[in-house]
């Protein structure tokens, strides 16, 4: 699980950490986009000062990389206090009204478990062994069924998601958890599920999800960050296809890693985001491709605010959009 150190940008990274600590990070978690105006019409998306387990899991991973043992323990304790309910981490919390979502997001749970595993590996302890087992055993009975990773589980309705997003298959973490012989078969099934979602050599990404009941893969347009999460998870277990890697290199070289594509490979729009290039950089780090790692990081730092109220942040001053997902993925890429 240990990443290579490619970081040649200590000042930019330090400024980014300063921005996150000053503007996004509080005791309970990390704000999603604290400066933006809240869109009351769309309550399905986390906005403004709401918090996600996604961000908390990424911050925990950063703290391990930084060898911040005490900070890790404190932040994990607070993460559990904020999000833990009905034996799982429910994925979204609004500190303004103390409202916690009813469901988890399975990838976010696996991110947190990954951080706990990283902690015990780094410090050669079993400090979090009980928590790891508790979280995984609950997932195994609810959101991870017969080798299929469901998007979420609702403990109130006692029902899981009808969809299985391929981005949710955090394969390296699942491999670490599924060590017994029966569980190893589940891991092999998870690899198979992801690999069978491959679209084509012409557009070497993967379907966004499949229907759990019909087992039919979706033909919906791809969210690029989610598509790159799939490639990252494959790279972490040595399963990244050369075709996918070459596609990613070409998009980074041409600065055309757009936010959304059809399953035939046509861009849906020409917007882009820091997270796309940060995920690409993480993949290049894993494949020991220093040149393209640096290309991706150069694109990221071009959007970093150099001074003023938002110094160090990755976002847009005019619209006041500074998403935690973009900033935290860039931070993980930089370390």
């Amino acid at each position: 699980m240990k990443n290579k150190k490619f970081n040649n940008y200590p000042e930019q990274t330090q400024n980014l950490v300063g921005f996150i600590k000053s503007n996004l990070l509080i005791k309970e978690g990390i704000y999603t986009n604290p400066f933006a105006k809240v869109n009351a019409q769309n309550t399905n998306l986390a906005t403004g000062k709401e918090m996600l387990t996604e961000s908390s899991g990424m911050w925990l991973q950063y703290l391990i990389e930084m060898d911040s043992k005490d900070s890790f323990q404190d932040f994990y304790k607070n993460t559990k206090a904020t999000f833990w309910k009905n034996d799982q981490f429910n994925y979204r919390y609004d500190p303004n009204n103390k409202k916690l979502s009813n469901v988890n997001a399975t990838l976010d749970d696996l991110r947190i478990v990954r951080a706990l595993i990283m902690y015990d590996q780094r410090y050669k302890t079993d400090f979090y062994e009980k928590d790891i087992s508790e979280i995984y055993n609950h997932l195994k009975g609810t959101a991870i069924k017969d080798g299929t990773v469901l998007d979420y589980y609702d403990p109130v309705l006692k029902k899981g998601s009808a969809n299985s997003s391929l981005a949710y298959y955090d394969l390296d973490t699942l491999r670490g958890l599924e060590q017994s012989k029966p569980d190893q078969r589940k891991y092999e099934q998870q690899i198979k599920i992801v690999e069978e979602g491959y679209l084509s050599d012409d557009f070497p990404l993967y379907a966004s999800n499949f229907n759990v009941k019909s087992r039919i893969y979706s033909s919906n347009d791809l969210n690029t960050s989610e598509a790159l999460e799939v490639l990252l998870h494959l790279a972490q277990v040595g399963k990244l296809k050369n075709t996918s890697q070459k596609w990613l290199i070409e998009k980074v070289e041409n600065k055309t890693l757009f936010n959304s594509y059809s399953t035939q490979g046509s861009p849906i729009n020409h917007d882009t985001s820091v997270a796309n290039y940060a995920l690409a950089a993480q993949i290049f780090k894993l494949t020991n491709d220093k040149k393209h790692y640096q290309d991706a990081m150069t694109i990221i730092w071009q959007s970093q605010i150099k001074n003023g109220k938002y110094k160090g942040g990755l976002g847009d001053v005019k619209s006041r959009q500074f998403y935690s997902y973009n900033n935290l993925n860039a931070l993980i890429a930089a370390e």
Side-chain angles (χ1 to χ4, degrees):
M1 288 187 175
K2 184 70 175 170
N3 281 333
K4 300 175 180 68
K5 292 280 186 181
F6 278 2
N7 186 6
N8 294 323
Y9 312 96
E11 183 180 350
Q12 292 97 322
T13 305
Q14 185 178 0
N15 289 338
L16 176 57
V17 172
F19 170 81
I20 292 169
K21 286 183 175 180
S22 298
N23 297 284
L24 305 183
L25 178 67
I26 65 170
K27 181 180 177 181
E28 291 89 344
I30 292 179
Y31 291 135
T32 300
N33 188 19
F35 308 113
K37 293 179 181 177
V38 174
N39 179 8
Q41 293 180 334
N42 191 347
T43 57
N44 291 322
L45 297 175
T47 56
K49 292 194 173 181
E50 290 185 326
M51 298 171 177
L52 298 173
T53 46
E54 171 184 82
S55 300
S56 294
M58 287 194 278
W59 185 248
L60 285 168
Q61 290 181 31
Y62 164 73
L63 291 174
I64 283 293
E65 290 292 341
M66 288 291 88
D67 198 15
S68 300
K69 188 175 183 180
D70 292 341
S71 296
F72 181 98
Q73 290 184 18
D74 288 343
F75 190 74
Y76 175 67
K77 183 179 177 182
N78 292 333
T79 297
K80 204 161 185 185
T82 301
F83 294 103
W84 187 259
K85 188 178 181 182
N86 294 325
D87 298 321
Q88 65 182 25
F89 290 101
N90 288 358
Y91 83 102
R92 184 168 68 171
Y93 176 69
D94 186 340
N96 293 322
N97 58 25
K98 311 292 190 214
K99 185 178 179 182
L100 182 64
S101 66
N102 292 326
V103 302
N104 72 324
T106 308
L107 174 59
D108 299 352
D109 290 359
L110 291 172
R111 274 197 185 96
I112 293 170
V113 170
R114 181 183 185 84
L116 300 179
I117 293 171
M118 289 168 69
Y119 179 100
D120 277 349
Q121 286 180 345
R122 180 167 197 130
Y123 299 113
K124 297 179 172 56
T125 70
D126 57 2
F127 192 77
Y128 286 113
E129 183 178 357
K130 183 181 175 186
D131 279 51
I132 293 166
S133 297
E134 182 181 8
I135 298 164
Y136 175 57
N137 286 333
H138 179 74
L139 286 173
K140 199 160 59 166
T142 56
I144 302 177
K145 291 281 195 179
D146 302 320
T148 301
V149 177
L150 308 182
D151 287 4
Y152 65 81
Y153 178 75
D154 188 328
V156 177
L157 298 178
K158 299 191 183 325
K159 186 178 179 181
S161 169
N163 286 324
S164 177
S165 294
L166 300 196
Y168 279 38
Y169 286 71
D170 182 349
L171 296 168
D172 193 26
T173 305
L174 289 165
R175 179 174 61 179
L177 292 168
E178 296 169 338
Q179 294 289 324
S180 68
K181 282 195 175 178
D183 282 350
Q184 283 177 3
R185 286 195 291 273
K186 291 176 187 174
Y187 172 71
E188 290 165 7
Q189 173 68 10
Q190 288 151 2
I191 290 280
K192 184 180 177 186
I193 285 170
V194 175
E195 291 188 328
E196 288 184 351
Y198 185 68
L199 294 172
S200 72
D201 286 346
D202 291 330
F203 184 52
L205 300 185
Y206 294 76
S208 59
N209 60 57
F210 71 93
N211 181 281
V212 174
K213 193 171 182 180
S214 70
R215 315 297 282 190
I216 294 173
Y217 289 89
S218 168
S219 59
N220 292 344
D221 297 338
L222 305 187
N223 173 299
T224 301
S225 289
E226 292 176 2
L228 295 179
E229 292 269 16
V230 177
L231 299 190
L232 177 64
H233 294 150
L234 287 166
Q236 286 169 338
V237 296
K239 297 281 187 179
L240 180 66
K241 284 181 174 286
N242 287 335
T243 48
S244 301
Q245 189 168 350
K246 287 176 182 175
W247 179 89
L248 190 58
I249 287 169
E250 188 229 332
K251 296 301 176 189
V252 170
E253 285 182 341
N254 295 321
K255 301 181 182 179
T256 55
L257 200 49
F258 301 126
N259 282 345
S260 183
Y261 291 88
S262 73
T263 51
Q264 285 73 47
S266 301
I268 302 305
N269 61 53
H270 290 81
D271 296 333
T272 190
S273 75
V274 165
N276 296 344
Y277 291 98
L279 288 162
Q282 292 173 49
I283 293 164
F284 294 140
K285 192 191 303 188
L286 283 164
T287 57
N288 204 27
D289 184 347
K290 192 166 187 175
K291 178 193 181 303
H292 293 107
Y293 168 82
Q294 290 175 339
D295 288 347
M297 293 305 299
T298 297
I299 295 168
I300 289 167
W301 297 131
Q302 285 170 352
S303 70
Q304 188 171 44
I305 308 305
K306 303 297 187 290
N307 47 55
K309 177 180 178 181
Y310 308 108
K311 180 181 177 181
L314 297 163
D316 180 68
V317 172
K318 188 174 180 181
S319 66
R320 300 191 301 173
Q321 301 280 2
F322 289 84
Y323 288 101
S324 56
Y325 185 74
N326 285 329
N327 284 271
L328 289 167
N329 264 302
L331 182 60
I332 289 171
E335 293 303 337

